Amino acid sequence: MALVYPPSFTWFTSRYYAPALGFLMFAVGVNSSEKDFIEAFKRPDAIFTGYVGQFVVKPLLGYIFGIIAVTVFGLPTPLGAGIMLVSCVSGAQLSNYATFLTDPPLAPLSIVMTSLSTATAVFVTPMLSLLLIGKRLPVDVVGMVSSILQIVIAPITAGLLLNRLFPRLCEAMRPFLPPLSVLDTACCVGAPLAININSVLSPFGLTVSLLIVAFHLSAFIAGYFLSGSLFHKAPDVKALQRTLSFETGMQSSLLALALANRFFQDPLVSVPPAISTVIMSLMGFALVMIWAKKKE
């Protein structure tokens, strides 16, 4: 619908993203307990591995594909920079919901990983962008903290409290949460596609899309096999592999898009982040369907 008739999603502007993602975190909270989060903090090795995947493995892949875009495909340098910029940002909250759909017990661990990468992105993202692209990008510290509070901490806390204080109400709500969450997710994916339709359909759109697919696919695979080799003795190794795959393969492309629009004069830099927002979400939830089907 976003491709055929963009106005069907263009109304879902950036001001709706925070409450939309917050609703997904609320749904996770309603289906979790505080014990789940306590257990998550007992796995510092997994948290650290997720962090390495997000801020070491992914930037290396972004640099490689950015160089390939310019040297092999002959694309303009700003497009290569845009791919690298996508690899420098923190994890995406959608990865938490993807984990919740495939392996609910590990959703708190995914939330901890994403929150940590988001909180430290105020320092790491500018450093990586300077290292890979050669441009220092100031990141809004207050904005990042506010984002974590609004999108992650507050909704999950509300869900956990509701689950503890009003269990019957939560029981009545649970059947309605999955369809509402699907609609919510569709808006979060469809809106960036509709709003950035010109970038997707630009002369470079197809080539950049293929490179972005290859970049995210490599990140999903790297996260999966990295965790498999490190935690092969863990009783829940397969669930951990899926979780770390989501964490490595999905990142806050919307933040990359905002940085590209704000700090780069060339509009081509924003094309890869715009396409990544869509590709990353579609690939992540395609994996949700594949892995959920295999578990059944």
Side-chain angles (χ1 to χ4, degrees), residues 7 18 64 98 106 119 124 152 165 167 197 215-216 221 236 261 266 278:
I64 291 168
L106 289 187
V124 181
V152 181
L165 300 175
I197 194 75
F215 162 66
H216 283 294
I221 292 171
D236 58 348
N261 288 330
D266 196 315
V278 181

Side-chain angles (χ1 to χ4, degrees), residues 197-206 271 275:
I197 194 75
N198 292 331
S199 297
V200 178
L201 300 178
S202 69
F204 306 110
L206 179 59
V271 174
I275 294 175

